[in-house]
């Protein structure tokens, strides 16, 4: 497979009209998705949105009811054996054997992937070193910390040198330091040319890792694009106005509220940063705010605009925050926890 080059736009994963039912519940309802080689596609959605169902289908663990998907050029339904040789999967829970040492886990997986003994040994050594687990190579995995297990799980998914790696909520339950370690490893993989499909509920994780996002809600794709693009689609910005005299903060905020410029929400004062925050919807409103301040004789030392946070974007698109579970049938919930 060609080394990743964002400029050539080669597609590693293509999904068209994917549908999956669990009884009367549609876990996936006509999902379309494209992931460019050498990038991270973040799939955002609350519990029960269909994220894990999508990963299960793309990793050949589950058959779709309708639609088509290809990964690295292989059809997920018609060419499952060929596809499994070019993908890796790290689920929400570590899949390694806790009774075996870390090295034996990796060696065993290498042999299951038909690597010759010598190559399987070399690959296990290489990945233990890469994931900073060499000192713990001979210890049973049961003695590993949560972060060490997650790193071993990532190493296991890389044994076969996959072209496409699925990470299904890989940092669920990890502490912030360990989460950062996992993020660093994912960035390194992408730097080596691996394409990553990442499902997550963490806004910070999506912003750290993903170059593009797909937002899924109740089995449907409701938005897709780059992070800044999605923020712009929400249509709102916050104008941060800093008066030269900090004593003018509250008078400026009151004056802007009194102006009643169409579309403006109530202003707020950020005393720590010495600014007034004004929600705006257009450049005309920005001009009106600045003109109003000048007309009041208030000297401004700075004016800047900020796009909404990714969490605010998700809330605007779905009506609920990313961590909030949706109404789901027991069957749907079981499937979402299955990987």
């Amino acid at each position: 497979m060609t080394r990743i080059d964002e400029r050539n736009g080669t597609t590693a994963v293509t999904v068209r009209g994917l549908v999956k039912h669990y009884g009367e519940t549609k876990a996936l309802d006509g999902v379309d998705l494209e992931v460019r080689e050498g990038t991270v596609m973040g799939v955002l959605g609350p519990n029960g949105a269909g994220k894990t169902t999508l990963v299960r289908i793309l990793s050949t663990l589950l058959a779709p009811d309708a639609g088509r998907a290809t990964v690295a050029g292989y059809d997920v339904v018609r060419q499952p054996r060929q596809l499994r040789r070019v993908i890796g999967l790290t689920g929400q829970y570590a899949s390694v054997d806790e009774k075996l040492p870390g090295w034996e886990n990796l060696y065993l997986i290498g042999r299951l992937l038909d690597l010759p003994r010598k190559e399987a040994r070399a690959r296990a050594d290489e990945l233990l070193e890469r994931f900073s687990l060499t000192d713990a190579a001979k210890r049973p995995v049961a003695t590993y910390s949560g972060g060490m297990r997650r790193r071993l799980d990532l190493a296991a998914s890389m044994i076969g040198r996959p072209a496409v790696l699925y990470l299904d909520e890989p940092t669920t339950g990890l502490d912030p330091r360990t989460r950062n370690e996992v993020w660093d490893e994912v960035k390194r993989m992408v730097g080596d040319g691996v394409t990553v499909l990442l499902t997550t509920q963490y806004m910070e994780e999506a912003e750290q890792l993903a170059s593009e996002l797909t937002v899924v809600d109740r089995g449907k794709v409701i938005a897709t694009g780059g992070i800044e693009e999605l923020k712009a689609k929400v249509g709102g910005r916050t104008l941060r106005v800093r008066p030269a005299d900090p004593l003018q903060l509250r008078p400026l905020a009151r004056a802007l509220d009194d102006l009643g410029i169409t579309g403006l929400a109530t202003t707020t004062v950020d005393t720590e940063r010495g600014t007034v925050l004004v929600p705006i919807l257009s450049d005309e409103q920005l001009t009106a705010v600045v003109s109003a301040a000048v007309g009041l004789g208030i000297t401004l030392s700075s004016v800047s605009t900020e796009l909404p946070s990714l969490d605010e974007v998700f809330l605007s698109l779905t009506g609920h925050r990313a961590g909030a579970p949706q109404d789901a049938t027991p069957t749907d919930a079981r499937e979402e926890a299955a990987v």
Side-chain angles (χ1 to χ4, degrees):
M1 180 166 291
T2 307
R3 167 73 191 205
I4 309 321
D5 183 351
E6 288 193 16
R7 294 169 298 179
N8 65 30
T10 305
T11 303
V13 180
T14 302
V15 175
R16 291 287 180 266
L18 218 56
V19 174
K20 183 62 185 179
H21 296 83
Y22 298 127
E24 295 183 358
T25 301
K26 271 191 178 179
L28 297 179
D29 189 4
V31 168
D32 293 333
L33 180 73
E34 284 192 359
V35 186
R36 291 177 297 119
E37 286 188 355
T39 65
V40 179
M41 168 63 79
V43 179
L44 285 173
N47 291 329
K51 302 186 303 296
T52 296
T53 298
L54 176 63
V55 170
R56 286 170 64 83
I57 291 174
L58 294 179
S59 54
T60 76
L61 298 175
L62 193 66
D65 295 324
R68 186 166 182 256
T70 59
V71 179
Y74 297 111
D75 186 283
V76 299
V77 174
R78 294 182 296 172
Q79 300 169 294
R81 295 185 66 180
Q82 297 95 316
L83 176 56
R84 288 169 192 155
R85 293 187 174 276
V86 296
I87 61 173
L89 169 63
T90 295
Q92 297 174 29
Y93 308 100
S95 59
V96 291
D97 190 327
E98 293 191 350
K99 295 180 181 179
L100 294 178
W103 187 91
E104 288 189 26
N105 265 283
L106 298 186
Y107 175 75
L108 177 61
I109 292 170
R111 293 293 290 146
L112 289 173
L113 291 172
D114 293 330
L115 295 183
R117 286 186 175 83
K118 184 176 180 180
E119 185 177 349
R121 291 191 192 98
R123 189 69 175 143
D125 291 339
E126 175 189 343
L127 288 169
L128 285 169
E129 182 176 356
R130 173 170 175 171
F131 285 86
S132 303
L133 293 169
T134 302
D135 290 344
K138 296 182 180 180
R139 283 169 42 196
V141 174
T143 67
Y144 286 18
S145 66
M148 292 170 69
R149 292 187 196 191
R150 180 50 82 196
R151 293 204 305 275
L152 183 65
D153 211 34
L154 282 169
S157 70
M158 295 297 292
I159 283 283
R161 293 184 173 88
V164 178
L165 178 64
Y166 305 125
L167 300 179
D168 189 18
E169 302 193 20
T171 61
T172 297
L174 297 183
D175 62 81
R177 182 183 65 82
T178 304
R179 188 176 298 163
N180 285 331
E181 291 176 356
V182 172
W183 289 349
D184 289 342
E185 293 302 336
V186 173
K187 290 173 184 176
R188 190 187 303 179
M189 292 177 198
V190 176
D192 288 344
V194 178
T195 302
V196 175
L197 179 72
L198 166 77
T199 74
T200 184
Q201 297 182 56
Y202 298 126
M203 298 296 114
E204 186 183 3
E205 184 160 83
E207 294 206 73
Q208 280 280 333
L209 299 177
S211 48
E212 293 184 273
L213 295 176
T214 293
V215 182
V216 180
D217 194 36
R218 301 184 188 278
K220 293 179 178 287
V221 172
I222 59 173
T224 187
I227 292 175
E228 296 307 313
E229 181 184 351
L230 290 183
K231 288 181 178 181
K233 281 182 180 178
V234 173
R237 290 175 292 167
T238 298
L239 183 64
R240 188 176 286 274
V241 184
R242 184 191 304 274
D245 181 358
L247 296 177
Q248 296 289 343
L249 275 173
R250 297 192 183 281
L252 175 59
R254 285 195 298 270
L256 292 176
D257 279 339
D258 291 343
L259 285 174
I261 299 172
T262 303
L264 289 181
T266 303
T267 58
T268 56
V269 176
D270 183 347
T271 53
E272 263 188 48
R273 298 172 68 176
T275 58
V276 176
L277 305 178
V278 190
I280 61 172
L281 298 174
S282 67
D283 291 340
E284 289 75 16
Q285 289 175 344
L286 185 157
T287 303
V289 169
V290 174
S291 296
V294 172
L296 292 167
I298 297 175
T299 302
L300 303 179
S301 62
S302 68
V303 177
S304 62
T305 59
E306 299 174 354
L307 288 171
S309 69
L310 189 55
D311 193 53
E312 290 168 334
V313 170
F314 191 91
L315 179 61
S316 174
L317 291 170
T318 67
H320 46 73
R321 298 196 177 274
Q326 302 177 78
D327 295 333
T329 65
T331 301
D332 192 27
R334 283 197 299 271
E335 286 294 341
E336 283 300 309
V339 176

